């Protein structure tokens, strides 16, 4: 089981669209995939369930909010009890042997960072407060080690566009981080900060695991690796990204501390613009002969190869 966080604290760069389609494509190859929606916008959830269905079937008992609630994450309910199997996409996957499961989000997850922090309570020393805080960072990693998750080949976590506590739990829980980005000036700037912030988190967390007192049994040091930047919404002209986008792609390729995937996700309002209203990601709906689908399949293969090779910076 490999856990991949799809994150970028820049918003609207295609994180959720990539997560939904990547999950669907991997499941379409006969694998078992779990998607975890950690964004209070719940866009990934609504890519597989209508709002009405979510309200009726999931909202009360089966969202990630129930897990984060309570005295501490996991006190009220085990994470694996929240897994649901979205019907429409899985009907489409029926002949493939694959399955796409989901842990859905809740629109009220919006202030969970504050509530978690408040519940931590003050420590008597700065060191104690910090230890409690870092202990919380490991909650998702600990939960995903439950045997119920071992049947999955891949777990994809869709993060909110921030670097708050919940996003940090995702990074600590992940073997790999995938960073969708647009090929423009501001995205280019953001990626350098993102690398630095992830590195700081990893070293602070590992320091806590190695030296934290009293330390929690089973906590492990982490080595979160960047699978790389995926450029999304790339406008193709004459089989290449348009000039301005090509410039920023090269800029990141040469100057960033992160690998850049060769494959890109093309700007295609037709396929990727409906944000999942049909309950089945575009890659499973579009004709397989379509070049957008072919490109996405190549990108998926590159990602899976990166995971197998243990991609590093
Ligand atoms: N390759 C693409 N081509 C065309 N439209 C796209 C593409 N990828 C995403 N979109 C559209 O862009 C919008 C933002 O995409 P998405 O929700 O995936 O971004 P996000 O990074 O998850 O956003 P947020 O930061 O709010 O979570 C959506 O309306 C989506 O349908
Ligand atoms: Mg999103």
């Amino acid at each position: 089981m490999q856990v991949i966080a799809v994150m970028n604290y820049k918003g609207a760069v295609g994180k959720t669209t990539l997560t939904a389609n990547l999950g669907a494509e991997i499941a379409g190859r006969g694998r078992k995939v779990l998607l975890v929606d950690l964004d209070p916008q719940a866009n990934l959830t609504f890519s597989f369930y209508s709002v009405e269905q979510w309200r009726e079937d999931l909202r009360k008992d089966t969202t990630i909010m129930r897990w984060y609630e309570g005295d501490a994450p996991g006190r009220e309910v085990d994470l694996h009890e929240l897994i649901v199997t979205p019907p429409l996409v899985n009907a489409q996957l029926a002949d493939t042997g694959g399955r796409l499961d989901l842990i859905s989000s809740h629109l009220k997850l919006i202030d969970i960072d504050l509530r978690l922090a408040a519940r931590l309570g003050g420590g008597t020393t700065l060191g104690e407060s910090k230890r409690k805080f870092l202990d919380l960072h490991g909650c998702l990693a600990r939960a995903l080690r439950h045997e119920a998750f071992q049947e999955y080949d891949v777990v994809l976590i869709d993060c909110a566009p921030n670097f708050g506590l919940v996003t940090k739990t995702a990074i600590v829980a992940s073997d790999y981080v995938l960073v969708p980005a647009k090929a423009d000036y501001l995205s280019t700037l953001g990626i350098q900060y993102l690398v630095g912030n992830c590195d700081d988190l990893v070293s602070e967390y590992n320091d806590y695991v190695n030296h934290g007192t009293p330390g929690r049994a089973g906590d492990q040091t982490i080595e979160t690796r960047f699978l790389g930047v995926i450029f999304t919404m790339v406008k193709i002209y004459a089989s290449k990204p348009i000039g301005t986008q090509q410039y920023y792609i090269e800029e990141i390729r040469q100057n960033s501390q992160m690998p850049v995937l060769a494959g890109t996700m093309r700007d295609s309002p037709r396929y990727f613009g409906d944000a999942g209203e049909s309950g089945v990601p575009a890659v499973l709906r579009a004709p397989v002969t379509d070049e957008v689908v072919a490109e996405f399949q190549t990108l998926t293969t590159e990602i899976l190869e990166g995971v197998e090779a243990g991609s590093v910076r």
Side-chain angles (χ1 to χ4, degrees):
M1 193 263 272
Q2 299 287 342
V3 184
I4 305 174
V6 181
M7 72 89 62
N8 187 343
Y9 39 71
K10 193 149 177 46
V13 292
K15 296 180 287 296
T16 302
T17 309
L18 175 67
T19 309
N21 282 279
L22 188 57
E25 173 60 24
I26 297 173
R29 296 182 187 193
R31 314 262 183 104
K32 293 201 168 52
V33 180
L34 174 68
L35 305 181
V36 183
D37 189 355
L38 288 190
D39 186 350
Q41 298 180 93
N43 291 350
L44 185 66
T45 302
F46 297 134
S47 303
F48 297 98
Y49 287 91
S50 69
V51 179
E52 293 75 33
Q53 269 179 318
W54 175 82
R55 266 200 208 108
E56 275 171 32
D57 300 341
L58 308 182
R59 184 178 60 100
K60 191 161 162 283
D61 292 326
T62 6
T63 78
I64 189 79
M65 211 173 77
R66 255 192 91 206
W67 185 75
Y68 278 110
E69 269 174 356
D71 292 342
R75 288 272 167 83
E76 300 258 308
V77 65
D78 276 342
L79 189 63
H80 64 88
E81 292 176 58
L82 303 174
I83 298 172
V84 293
T85 303
L88 293 174
V89 66
N90 281 288
Q92 186 96 6
L93 290 166
D95 297 337
T96 65
R99 197 174 78 224
L100 189 65
D101 286 347
L102 173 75
I103 295 180
S104 75
S105 187
H106 195 298
L107 299 161
K108 286 195 176 155
L109 197 67
I110 193 83
D111 56 357
I112 195 72
D113 279 12
L114 268 179
R115 283 191 281 153
L116 284 172
R119 243 177 274 139
L120 280 177
T124 48
T125 62
L126 189 61
E128 191 188 339
S129 304
K130 197 166 171 187
R131 190 187 61 73
K132 283 183 175 177
F133 198 60
L134 284 163
D135 178 70
L136 192 58
H137 286 22
C139 66
L140 191 60
R142 287 191 289 271
L144 286 173
R145 282 204 287 273
H146 190 282
E147 62 178 18
F149 295 99
Q150 305 316 314
E151 69 162 312
Y152 293 103
D153 298 295
V154 179
V155 177
L156 296 174
I157 307 177
D158 186 28
C159 298
N162 64 39
F163 203 62
L165 195 47
V166 171
T167 303
K168 288 177 178 173
T169 66
I171 292 171
V172 169
S174 299
D175 302 295
Y176 296 97
V177 176
L178 200 50
V179 182
K182 285 193 196 171
D184 61 25
Y185 175 64
L186 290 176
S187 302
T188 314
L189 286 180
I191 284 168
Q192 299 304 342
Y193 283 102
L194 195 148
V195 172
N197 287 336
C198 283
D199 282 350
D200 289 350
L201 171 65
V202 169
S203 66
E204 212 179 13
Y205 184 78
N206 285 344
D207 208 37
Y208 153 74
V209 172
N210 287 327
H211 307 295
T213 47
R216 188 196 275 259
D219 271 346
Q220 297 165 357
T221 54
I222 51 171
E223 190 197 357
T224 301
R225 302 168 191 194
F226 290 107
L227 270 178
V229 177
I230 293 186
F231 283 102
T232 58
M233 300 183 219
V234 174
K235 294 187 194 305
I236 304 287
Y237 182 73
S239 307
K240 287 201 307 242
I242 58 168
T244 47
Q245 290 192 331
Q246 187 64 45
Y247 170 83
Y248 289 113
I249 291 172
E250 281 312 312
E251 175 77 17
I252 292 283
R253 212 186 284 280
Q254 282 165 24
N255 300 324
S256 120
Q257 298 160 307
M258 222 190 291
V260 173
L261 277 86
T264 60
M265 205 169 165
R266 176 190 293 239
D267 182 50
S268 172
R270 181 167 163 226
Y271 287 132
F272 299 129
D274 80 349
E277 282 154 34
S278 70
V280 180
V283 72
L284 295 184
R285 274 185 291 123
V288 281
T289 48
D290 193 295
E291 62 177 343
V292 176
V293 175
E295 257 174 32
F296 194 81
Q297 289 170 336
T298 308
L299 178 65
T300 303
T301 301
E302 188 185 359
I303 292 167
L304 292 175
E305 284 173 358
V307 169
E308 272 158 30
S311 196
V312 283
R313 248 185 272 173

